[in-house]
Amino acid sequence: MNWNQNKSMQLSKFCVYLFMVILVVVCVLAPQLFRALLEMRGESMAKLPFFLAAVYTTAVPAAAALWDLRKLLWNISCGNVFLVCNVAILRRLSWYCIIAGLIFFVSGFFYLPFFFLSIAAAFIGLILRVVKNVFSEAVALKDENDYTI
């Protein structure tokens, strides 16, 4: 199999749309999924509203992130890589991860594994901030290069 840039971009776009579908399915099935989890673990159903609150509040930045990823991939596939709007998208993506990390951190007080998701989301947010800074410098260099005769 000959892997190239175009196939990689198609796979990325496919994954974004797949995760959009998964997010919708999880949001629709969340009550049943968490009810089954609580029953399986033998825990009180009193925790169910907390699980649902965590899932639905985190779904908002997750959906926004997927939407922005779609736009970023579209820009890149059109050859528009080092643009100010892509820097803004990366900035927003980092904030979505940080917001999700904060939601998971608060949720960790009623379900310990959410603390681990909080750390992972914050770390991804940090990585995205670094990538955003690199893109920002690249945009500045490109602009300077475009205006040089």
Side-chain angles (χ1 to χ4, degrees):
M1 177 180 206
N2 188 11
W3 199 254
N4 60 33
Q5 182 78 15
N6 187 41
K7 288 181 182 177
S8 178
M9 185 60 66
Q10 288 175 342
L11 177 63
S12 297
K13 288 178 181 179
F14 172 78
C15 288
V16 167
Y17 287 114
L18 177 65
F19 278 103
M20 285 179 173
V21 170
I22 291 170
L23 180 64
V24 170
V25 169
V26 167
C27 286
V28 170
L29 297 179
Q32 293 87 356
L33 291 172
F34 286 108
R35 191 171 289 115
L37 173 73
L38 291 173
E39 287 174 359
M40 185 173 60
R41 297 191 68 206
E43 294 193 31
S44 166
M45 286 297 154
K47 286 187 174 184
L48 184 61
F50 295 109
F51 277 106
L52 295 178
V55 167
Y56 291 135
T57 55
T58 308
V60 174
L66 288 168
W67 188 258
D68 272 352
L69 273 174
R70 184 198 57 81
K71 176 66 175 163
L72 181 64
L73 288 171
W74 176 261
N75 288 346
I76 292 170
S77 67
C78 291
N80 301 319
V81 179
F82 299 114
L83 300 175
V84 173
C85 67
N86 288 346
V87 173
I89 290 171
L90 287 168
R91 180 180 296 114
R92 286 194 306 268
L93 288 171
S94 71
W95 280 111
Y96 298 146
C97 288
I98 291 167
I99 290 166
L102 290 173
I103 294 167
F104 284 134
F105 180 78
V106 171
S107 301
F109 289 106
F110 72 86
Y111 187 63
L112 188 63
F114 280 139
F115 281 127
F116 299 110
L117 290 175
S118 173
I119 292 167
F123 185 67
I124 292 169
L126 174 63
I127 291 171
L128 284 168
R129 295 299 290 186
V130 171
V131 171
K132 187 267 312 172
N133 291 335
V134 170
F135 259 70
S136 183
E137 288 299 317
V139 168
L141 287 172
K142 179 186 172 286
D143 287 346
E144 182 180 317
N145 200 17
D146 288 346
Y147 293 123
T148 302
I149 297 176

